[in-house]
Amino acid sequence: MDTNRTKNTAQWFYSTVFRDEAIRPREPQPTEKLPSLLRAARSLENGAEGGWQSRESLFLKQAKLLADYEDDRDYAGSVLHYFPTYQSLTDPELRGYFAWRTRLRRGDLRKTSLTYAFLYVYELLNQIGTADPMAGFQTLTAFRDAYASLDDRILPHLNRWLTDYVIYYDLAPSLLADTPQADFDRNLAVLENIPGRSPAQIMAAVKALSPQWLERSKFYAAYGADCDTVIVRVLGRIYEHCAVRCKRGFVDQYFGSPVTYPVRLFESAVFVDRAKKRSGEFTVDPLWVYRCENGYWTVTKHVRSARSGAKLGDLLKTIDALMREEYRYGHLIQQKTDTKWLLQIIRQEIRGLLAEKEAAEKNKVTIDFSRLAKIRSDADVTREKLTVEEEQEEAPPEAPPPAENPDCPLEPAEYRLLRSLLYGGDTGWVRAEGYLLSVLVDGINEKLYDQFADSVLDDTPQPIPDYIEELKEMVRP
């Protein structure tokens, strides 16, 4: 080993690369005195209580102190703190937040860092800057709706906290009527009482709970009304089956049973629970209930997830597949269940509907309005011929005699026809004078029904033999 060469290389390295250099003194950083109210808030962080109080408690104390504070010192740098409090911010960042909040309260909403947005939400959740819980809810929803158009990353947390807000502050359950869980429960409630719901209500619930297949089915697009009818009938049959033969009802079978689990309101928010030991119950709807025992919250509900309607969707796809077979539709698909009793129900309802449609088609009366003009024309020609024939007769037709029996309820033409039938007279005058024989016969039978409790003329028409003598007493020759 060439020790001299190694030594020379080391000396060159240390003399060239590593050199002793004096440490330069740190340049003094510019400092600016905080406004007195901010200094007072900062003092709470370092006071006697600062060492043991929670960051949530400290935040609430500082927030109350700074509830009406305003500032005009913007901060141009980026701000990023997770679960932020005032203590998390540097002095320039803190003043920048209050400058942003000052403009916001004056109606000038601007996009800012999520840190500032969450700080503002935390204040409202803790009733800072709001007169009462209802006013706070309105302010939170207004901020959500306006700020989401600037940065929608705040929505998942804020929507969940708004639900917690209504629960915690015991506001009206109707404020949660538009939430996804409440909508889910309303549709489940329809399917919990299928016999008491209309087909339209049932189908609206089905489409809301499991929209995936029906929205893209070409067969449903072509035969939507028939599909709706079969779906409603099949669901009714399954509902009855579950009620009689299963331990769990239809909704529990297809969407799972309701579950109860502990829940922490305002989870991941900086929030101080000032009613820790309270107990009570809050019912959003019959299927969604919160309970609190000594500050510990639980919720009971049907869990809503992306797979909630999967089993119902499989049923709808099976109905679609079997209907394609029975309707001889060109594009068949695979059914999603092999349960024999369920397949039997579906086929029975499909075939029942097809039989109903076939019977209705046979009984359908079709009016060809295009032939009405020809019918009218033929009637005019017939009328003219009858008029000519009447003019060519040597003697005018015999005038209908008046009813000699004043108690007879028949009209003159009806009386005349009955007399002709009883005494062998000519009935050719009926058509010649523009009457319909069947109409006159029906009139006679109807007017004399109360007296004879039966029809007096048959379809020929001829008098019923049993009533001839009584009729002759009523109608003279």
Side-chain angles (χ1 to χ4, degrees):
M1 182 175 180
D2 190 351
T3 57
N4 291 330
R5 183 177 179 182
T6 302
K7 181 178 179 180
N8 293 334
T9 301
Q11 289 177 344
W12 172 86
F13 181 81
Y14 284 109
S15 62
T16 305
V17 178
F18 290 101
R19 299 178 180 177
D20 293 335
E21 185 174 340
I23 298 176
R24 289 176 288 185
R26 179 179 297 177
E27 297 180 2
Q29 297 295 321
T31 59
E32 182 176 345
K33 191 174 183 180
L34 284 175
S36 59
L37 204 57
L38 290 182
R39 280 188 281 114
R42 285 294 196 202
S43 69
L44 296 176
E45 302 170 8
N46 305 313
E49 299 179 351
W52 57 266
Q53 64 185 337
S54 67
R55 63 194 299 271
E56 290 82 6
S57 298
L58 175 60
F59 171 75
L60 183 58
K61 290 179 181 179
Q62 291 177 314
K64 288 180 177 179
L65 180 63
L66 300 171
D68 299 320
Y69 176 73
E70 294 185 347
D71 208 320
D72 59 0
R73 184 62 57 86
D74 291 326
Y75 180 71
S78 61
V79 183
L80 179 61
H81 300 281
Y82 295 100
F83 312 109
T85 64
Y86 306 128
Q87 188 178 17
S88 308
L89 307 183
T90 64
D91 289 348
E93 290 173 345
L94 186 63
R95 295 198 66 180
Y97 166 70
F98 285 109
W100 174 81
R101 190 185 75 172
T102 299
R103 288 193 299 269
L104 170 62
R105 289 182 174 180
R106 294 175 181 176
D108 181 11
L109 174 62
R110 301 181 185 181
K111 183 178 180 180
T112 186
S113 68
L114 281 177
T115 297
Y116 285 176
F118 278 121
L119 264 178
Y120 179 68
V121 170
Y122 295 162
E123 290 177 350
L124 293 173
L125 295 181
N126 286 278
Q127 295 295 284
I128 301 301
T130 182
D132 53 63
M134 188 60 205
F137 179 83
Q138 293 170 341
T139 304
L140 279 167
T141 53
F143 177 72
R144 176 198 62 186
D145 297 342
Y147 196 76
S149 62
L150 303 177
D151 189 348
D152 61 3
R153 292 177 295 170
I154 200 171
L155 287 179
H157 295 284
L158 185 48
N159 283 331
R160 186 176 72 250
W161 293 337
L162 278 168
T163 297
D164 295 345
Y165 189 97
V166 173
I167 305 301
Y168 183 84
Y169 290 108
D170 199 22
L171 300 180
S174 58
L175 295 174
L176 301 179
D178 294 333
T179 60
Q181 182 69 41
D183 185 61
F184 181 67
D185 290 348
R186 276 193 298 272
N187 291 307
L188 287 185
V190 172
L191 300 187
E192 280 197 331
N193 182 28
I194 289 177
R197 302 290 186 164
S198 69
Q201 290 174 319
I202 295 171
M203 282 310 303
V206 166
K207 291 177 180 180
L209 292 169
S210 185
Q212 294 83 0
W213 178 249
L214 294 183
E215 287 181 348
R216 63 177 186 268
S217 170
K218 293 182 178 180
F219 180 81
Y220 186 82
Y223 296 94
D226 287 6
C227 289
D228 288 353
T229 300
V230 173
I231 290 170
V232 170
R233 293 179 181 180
V234 168
L235 292 182
R237 295 277 300 277
I238 298 174
Y239 180 92
E240 293 174 359
H241 177 89
C242 293
V244 174
R245 300 191 177 186
C246 302
K247 294 182 179 180
R248 297 194 301 165
F250 175 82
V251 169
D252 290 355
Q253 290 277 0
Y254 278 80
F255 295 92
S257 301
V259 296
T260 300
Y261 57 90
V263 62
R264 179 187 173 191
L265 301 187
F266 305 111
E267 185 174 8
S268 75
V270 178
F271 178 77
V272 177
D273 183 1
R274 284 171 277 181
K276 292 182 178 180
K277 297 300 180 182
R278 72 168 173 176
S279 297
E281 182 175 294
F282 187 96
T283 301
V284 182
D285 59 53
L287 303 180
W288 186 12
V289 180
Y290 287 82
R291 294 179 179 86
C292 184
E293 294 184 8
N294 293 322
Y296 292 96
W297 287 88
T298 60
V299 61
T300 302
K301 64 180 181 179
H302 287 271
V303 177
R304 184 182 62 87
S305 69
R307 294 286 299 167
S308 295
K311 189 173 182 180
L312 179 60
D314 289 345
L315 173 63
L316 298 178
K317 192 168 184 179
T318 299
I319 293 173
D320 191 321
L322 296 184
M323 288 189 74
R324 291 178 188 228
E325 292 181 16
E326 298 292 339
Y327 277 63
R328 303 183 185 278
Y329 189 72
H331 306 283
L332 301 181
I333 61 174
Q334 185 177 4
Q335 62 195 45
K336 301 293 288 185
T337 181
D338 294 323
T339 306
K340 291 184 178 180
W341 66 267
L342 185 54
L343 297 178
Q344 183 180 6
I345 285 176
I346 296 172
R347 289 197 184 276
Q348 287 174 352
E349 295 301 336
I350 296 171
R351 291 170 182 173
L353 176 61
L354 287 174
E356 292 173 12
K357 290 169 68 70
E358 184 178 356
E361 190 67 27
K362 289 180 180 179
N363 296 329
K364 181 187 284 187
V365 177
T366 303
I367 299 176
D368 188 354
F369 291 98
S370 65
R371 299 187 61 189
L372 289 179
K374 186 176 185 305
I375 293 173
R376 294 191 184 98
S377 176
D378 293 344
D380 291 339
V381 172
T382 302
R383 189 182 306 110
E384 290 177 4
K385 288 182 178 179
L386 291 175
T387 302
V388 171
E389 289 176 0
E390 289 177 357
E391 291 175 352
Q392 292 175 349
E393 290 181 359
E394 296 180 358
E398 180 184 359
E404 296 183 9
N405 185 350
D407 296 328
C408 181
L410 301 179
E411 297 293 332
E414 296 168 344
Y415 184 93
R416 182 182 177 187
L417 175 60
L418 184 55
R419 190 185 71 154
S420 298
L421 296 173
L422 284 172
Y423 298 103
D426 181 25
T427 58
W429 60 270
V430 174
R431 181 177 178 183
E433 296 186 14
Y435 293 103
L436 289 175
L437 183 62
S438 61
V439 173
L440 293 178
V441 170
D442 289 342
I444 293 170
N445 284 331
E446 181 179 347
K447 291 182 173 65
L448 298 182
Y449 186 84
D450 291 339
Q451 184 172 347
F452 289 87
D454 195 4
S455 297
V456 297
L457 299 178
D458 59 22
D459 295 334
T460 312
Q462 288 296 325
I464 303 296
D466 292 344
Y467 306 133
I468 290 177
E469 294 303 324
E470 291 182 59
L471 289 172
K472 285 185 176 180
E473 292 179 5
M474 181 184 298
V475 178
R476 303 291 185 251

